[in-house]
Amino acid sequence: MNRPQTIEGWQVWDLTQRLGGQLRIAPGAVIGWDMGAALSLAEALGVSALITAELLPEIEAVMVRKLNEQMEGRRNG
């Protein structure tokens, strides 16, 4: 359903799996990924900067929403 449809999409998805240590966090909330670090990692992995810049913000938005929902559930659970 939401699986990448292209090689470039798979490359960016793989990149997202490597960004766990690059989270930007504020007290009680995840803000997003360190995009400078993400783009540097993409370059090191040979992933197109253009494709990364197009796809990563969309994936980041979902990641931020889901992680913050999980954190909120734990606080209220």
Side-chain angles (χ1 to χ4, degrees), residues 65-77:
R65 186 174 60 250
K66 294 296 182 182
L67 285 179
N68 285 325
E69 285 173 3
Q70 288 177 4
M71 290 169 52
E72 185 66 26
R74 288 184 185 139
R75 282 192 289 263
N76 295 331

Side-chain angles (χ1 to χ4, degrees), residues 12-13 16 19 23-24 30-35 52-70:
V12 173
W13 183 250
T16 67
L19 291 175
L23 287 176
R24 292 181 5 231
V30 173
I31 298 171
W33 283 310
D34 178 337
M35 285 298 185
T52 301
E54 287 286 334
L55 298 179
L56 201 56
E58 297 291 329
I59 299 168
E60 178 190 42
V62 173
M63 178 273 302
V64 166
R65 186 174 60 250
K66 294 296 182 182
L67 285 179
N68 285 325
E69 285 173 3
Q70 288 177 4

Side-chain angles (χ1 to χ4, degrees), residues 1-65:
M1 175 156 92
N2 292 323
R3 276 189 271 161
Q5 301 296 311
T6 63
I7 291 172
E8 293 85 358
W10 280 108
Q11 289 174 325
V12 173
W13 183 250
D14 178 64
L15 173 66
T16 67
Q17 305 307 297
R18 299 168 186 257
L19 291 175
Q22 301 304 323
L23 287 176
R24 292 181 5 231
I25 300 174
V30 173
I31 298 171
W33 283 310
D34 178 337
M35 285 298 185
L39 290 171
S40 292
L41 182 56
E43 181 180 5
L45 294 171
V47 179
S48 164
L50 175 62
I51 298 298
T52 301
E54 287 286 334
L55 298 179
L56 201 56
E58 297 291 329
I59 299 168
E60 178 190 42
V62 173
M63 178 273 302
V64 166
R65 186 174 60 250

